[in-house]
Amino acid sequence: MAGPGATGERFAVIVVGSGISGLFVALEARHLGPVLVLTKGSIDDCNTRWAQGGIAAAVGPLDSPEQHLADTIAAGAGLVDEEAARILCYEAPARIRDLVRYGVSFDSLGGEVALGREAAHSRARVLHAGGDRTGAEIETALSEAAKDPAITILDHTLVTRVIVQEGEAAGVEAVALQTGEREVYLADAVVLGTGGAGQLFSHTTNPEVATGDGVALAFDAGAEIADIEFYQFHPTALRVPGVPTFLISEAVRGEGAVLRNRAGEAFMKRYHPLADLAPRDVVARAIVREMRSEGSDHVLLDCTGLKSVDLAVRFPAIFAYCMGAGIDIRVDPIPVAPAAHYLMGGVRTDTWGRTTIPRLYACGECACTGVHGANRLASNSLMETVVFGKRVVEHLAAGGGGAAAATPDRAALPLPATAAPSHAELQAMMWECAGIERDAAGLGRGLQAIAGWPARGEGAVTREAFERQQMTTVAALMLTAALRRTESRGGHYRSDFPQTDDLHWKRRQVFVRER
């Protein structure tokens, strides 16, 4: 059956992706005209659903947006765009009210909203819903609200190209995965909200859909990509043989859980004054070093001292998942190890979500506003999606137009001519060559591997084959950026250049497709 685009219907906005960024944009934009949401999986296949810790906003009586801003800048290791970060922190409380309006019920305590504290936050400012099911609660509420006649949602629909006509985004090409039919959908604006790229790595907290599609689509279309070398590895993911990787929220450490090595030592105090609540990159590298020194594939997260917290109530999803793996977190330490978690870089946008291609916008994890710099502050990610998603729609409502200014010193890179032979081969290569600790030799091996893979295929598009192409594009960008950045900063750590070099590298790297 032909989709709406085949009938000649034109949309006000096409949104690619159905996580919090995509659905929030769709809901906010419906008054502009018909909105089309395209998602390659089902509506709830997204990173949002797996976000446990919560969403950061300065809503507590002892907090302020200015303090939130200071923490965001401090975590970002010198590369935070202060204008974008200020917008995030000052507009956050209003966006919480928007989410409540859409049906999100945040947890409360004694009649007041319950606020948790996570790493590198100086205040308790993390709102949560359903204990550790914050992402799922938000996704469920927005999915329900999106059942609106003004919003058409087509799931199992793979967007394969952003259509650019006369220098402007005009729509998308897509394939209906269940029928194989190709369609063209036209719109006044296209918004990429496709999420992250955790599936680039063999160990990740991300779902299967997180293959970097939005970044690759934008790069192919000619938009700028920024900060792509900065990848955040979450320090604590469940590591049990035969059990899928599962995020153990930082909020567990915020409640007082302690990381220990096999000797039982609480080792983080040796690495950072904030110990277990140090920035994520510090904690992840510390865990790697402890595992290496002990010849182990994990360390232990000890929750057994949290006598004042009902772990089954505060962390119901974590509690249930661990119980299913044979671990009662009330009495047993949790085996954990780092896993790929969040992409700080992505499609470069301005503070209105505009890319460098007119009428093409991006928001959420696939976008790079500069708000995270080189290292994202915990729980700023969900907030970024709604703050900048709102601004995308505000810009469209005001008439849209224009684009983010091009970066003068951007570097042109070719689209890879090859594609990984399998997801697993690419993931293993990236974990080895571009993981938590990097060096020139490993990054070079990764680029050589990509050069030796089979040529990109033509003809019928399957989701698996298309994802391999997109993942290869993003992997090549990440490897190149990481090889060129000869320093360590935030989520990018070079063992051969372990120091931060502000003289030469306190700047962003921006790439555009070579034509």
Side-chain angles (χ1 to χ4, degrees):
M1 180 176 173
T7 67
E9 180 181 0
R10 185 180 182 88
F11 296 91
V13 180
I14 290 175
V15 180
V16 186
S18 64
I20 184 174
S21 56
L23 292 180
F24 190 82
V25 167
L27 286 163
E28 292 287 310
R30 58 189 159 164
H31 70 282
L32 301 177
V35 176
L36 176 64
V37 178
L38 302 171
T39 181
K40 68 180 178 182
S42 65
I43 187 172
D44 58 358
D45 283 345
C46 60
N47 273 355
T48 304
R49 178 160 292 278
W50 301 101
Q52 295 174 351
I55 183 167
V59 297
L62 302 178
D63 202 1
S64 70
E66 197 65 27
Q67 188 59 54
H68 187 183
L69 174 63
D71 292 347
T72 298
I73 291 172
L79 289 189
V80 168
D81 182 307
E82 187 169 338
E83 180 189 4
R86 185 171 295 277
I87 288 167
L88 174 84
C89 298
Y90 276 82
E91 296 187 5
R95 300 293 78 80
I96 292 293
R97 293 193 289 273
D98 286 341
L99 291 174
V100 171
R101 176 166 53 87
Y102 284 128
V104 179
S105 180
F106 291 102
D107 297 339
S108 60
L109 184 65
E112 299 291 333
V113 65
L115 298 172
R117 184 178 174 191
E118 295 186 7
H121 286 273
S122 61
R123 301 286 189 274
R125 68 167 63 96
V126 179
L127 297 87
H128 46 84
D132 59 356
R133 294 191 173 107
T134 306
E137 293 287 330
I138 294 175
E139 178 73 15
T140 298
L142 296 185
S143 297
E144 189 63 29
K147 295 176 180 176
D148 184 288
I151 301 173
T152 300
I153 298 175
L154 297 181
D155 54 11
H156 304 291
T157 302
L158 181 69
V159 174
T160 56
R161 188 171 75 91
V162 174
I163 299 169
V164 179
Q165 294 178 345
E166 298 180 356
E168 297 186 337
V172 299
E173 292 180 358
V175 174
L177 292 171
Q178 294 174 328
T179 66
E181 290 188 32
R182 297 173 182 258
E183 301 287 5
V184 170
Y185 300 98
L186 302 178
D188 297 330
V190 176
V191 182
L192 298 174
T194 55
Q199 288 297 319
L200 289 175
F201 299 93
S202 52
H203 300 287
T204 182
T205 62
N206 290 188
E208 291 184 356
V209 294
T211 53
D213 297 357
V215 175
L217 285 168
F219 181 72
D220 187 27
E224 290 184 357
I225 307 301
D227 296 348
I228 198 71
E229 66 268 42
F230 297 114
Y231 206 96
Q232 189 170 78
F233 294 85
H234 198 288
T236 54
L238 183 68
R239 183 67 66 87
V240 175
V243 177
T245 301
F246 185 78
L247 176 66
I248 307 298
S249 171
E250 194 164 77
V252 177
R253 283 176 284 133
E255 294 287 356
V258 176
L259 286 162
R260 300 186 186 278
N261 55 27
R262 289 200 301 185
E265 176 198 5
F267 58 84
M268 276 308 305
K269 60 182 179 291
R270 288 195 275 108
Y271 291 93
H272 196 278
L274 292 175
D276 295 277
L277 291 180
R280 286 179 175 176
D281 62 305
V282 175
V283 181
R285 288 196 298 273
I287 290 173
V288 166
R289 288 165 189 170
E290 293 295 313
M291 292 192 304
R292 186 181 296 138
S293 69
E294 296 183 326
S296 175
D297 69 349
H298 67 271
V299 295
L300 299 170
L301 182 61
D302 184 3
C303 309
T304 60
L306 305 186
K307 303 304 182 186
S308 63
V309 179
D310 187 335
L311 295 169
V313 173
R314 176 65 180 88
F315 303 109
I318 293 171
F319 182 83
Y321 198 91
C322 288
M323 284 294 281
I327 300 164
D328 183 343
I329 66 175
R330 295 169 298 191
V331 296
D332 302 320
I334 308 170
V336 295
H341 186 57
Y342 190 87
L343 177 64
M344 268 84 73
V347 186
R348 192 179 77 79
T349 71
D350 64 10
T351 56
W352 295 104
R354 298 185 298 181
T355 73
T356 46
I357 297 175
R359 293 169 50 190
L360 178 64
Y361 296 76
C363 65
E365 192 173 349
C366 74
C368 182
T369 61
V371 74
H372 303 306
N375 192 37
R376 176 177 68 92
L377 183 66
S379 290
N380 268 356
S381 53
L382 290 182
M383 183 52 71
E384 182 195 25
T385 65
V386 291
V387 165
F388 291 97
K390 182 87 166 186
R391 291 176 68 84
V392 165
V393 178
E394 287 175 345
H395 188 268
L396 291 172
T407 304
D409 59 349
R410 65 188 188 180
L413 295 178
L415 188 73
T418 64
S422 70
H423 282 50
E425 187 165 334
L426 183 143
Q427 290 165 339
M429 179 275 288
M430 287 295 287
W431 185 257
E432 176 197 349
C433 299
I436 297 165
E437 294 188 351
R438 303 162 170 177
D439 61 26
L443 295 165
R445 283 197 308 274
L447 289 168
Q448 289 176 350
I450 290 175
W453 285 342
R456 293 192 170 212
E458 300 291 338
V461 174
T462 65
R463 173 173 160 176
E464 193 271 342
F466 181 75
E467 285 178 340
R468 284 191 282 110
Q469 290 190 358
Q470 304 299 73
M471 291 164 70
T472 302
T473 294
V474 181
L477 288 169
M478 190 177 295
L479 288 161
T480 300
L483 184 60
R484 293 185 181 191
R485 182 173 286 276
T486 52
E487 66 155 358
S488 292
R489 185 184 297 271
H492 168 71
Y493 181 78
R494 288 280 298 263
S495 58
D496 49 350
F497 292 96
Q499 302 303 314
T500 299
D501 181 1
D502 280 346
L503 179 63
H504 299 99
W505 282 109
K506 196 173 182 180
R507 59 183 176 86
R508 305 170 73 181
Q509 291 192 88
V510 178
F511 299 118
V512 70
R513 183 181 175 184
E514 186 177 87
R515 296 292 182 179

